[in-house]
Amino acid sequence: YNDMAIDKIDIDSIQKKLCDRLEFSGWKAHLKGFILSQDFKKILDYLVSESENGRHFTPKLKQIFRAFEECSYKDLKVIILGQDPYMQLYEAGTVADGIGFSCSNTGKMQASLEFMLKEVNAQIYPNEEYNYDPDLKRWANQGILLLNSALTTTIGKSGTHFSIWQPFIVYVLDYL
């Protein structure tokens, strides 16, 4: 990236677009205060800086709030808190899809998700064949917020974005 590309990134516009994506699920009214704040602007500035310096992150920026988009606020029943998104790439993009533990971008099961689904199957559906679809949108749509304690991570490096996301996660958990 060059300085011209840096000047073209409009953080305010990104904040507004990300916030607007939460309208349908009902989260916009509850998270707008943080998303449009200087604290969130710092998160976005960090992500832009990392990307401009060749340290790309996962999932894609447009997917970082997918957990909130798929789990409506009014239907929220349970929160499952994970660590951070899958850090791997695959041929067509990133494994992480913005919903904790879910990996619908690849269509392939990750080990942590497989373990979780096997346990659910053993405890809840012991005599039935269970759906091992790696897209957990179906859980989110039933009121399960599958949230990571960091909504992004550097490709190939787990745990790199915990500190930047801490204010947001604290805000969400305190709010709830």
Side-chain angles (χ1 to χ4, degrees), residues 31-61:
L31 300 180
K32 181 180 181 178
F34 190 92
I35 295 171
L36 298 180
S37 73
Q38 288 300 312
D39 287 334
F40 192 66
K41 189 174 281 203
K42 289 177 188 174
I43 293 170
L44 292 176
D45 285 340
Y46 177 85
L47 295 175
V48 167
S49 173
E50 287 290 282
S51 186
E52 290 170 345
N53 288 303
R55 293 181 298 271
H56 300 287
F57 60 89
T58 182
K60 296 175 185 176
L61 189 58

Side-chain angles (χ1 to χ4, degrees), residues 79-149:
I79 300 170
I80 297 177
L81 190 61
Q83 181 177 308
D84 56 359
Y86 297 117
M87 62 181 175
Q88 302 92 341
L89 291 174
Y90 77 106
E91 301 84 30
T94 64
V95 172
D97 66 9
I99 298 175
F101 302 99
S102 183
C103 45
S104 65
N105 288 343
T106 65
K108 295 179 183 175
M109 190 72 63
Q110 296 296 304
S112 58
L113 177 58
E114 183 175 8
F115 175 77
M116 201 163 78
L117 292 176
K118 282 182 179 180
E119 285 303 309
V120 167
N121 191 49
Q123 298 299 316
I124 312 241
Y125 308 102
N127 300 317
E128 298 176 33
E129 187 66 31
Y130 187 69
N131 180 357
Y132 286 98
D133 180 355
D135 185 356
L136 294 183
K137 176 181 173 179
R138 66 188 181 281
W139 286 15
N141 293 163
Q142 294 177 59
I144 302 171
L145 181 61
L146 296 151
L147 188 63
N148 284 313
S149 55

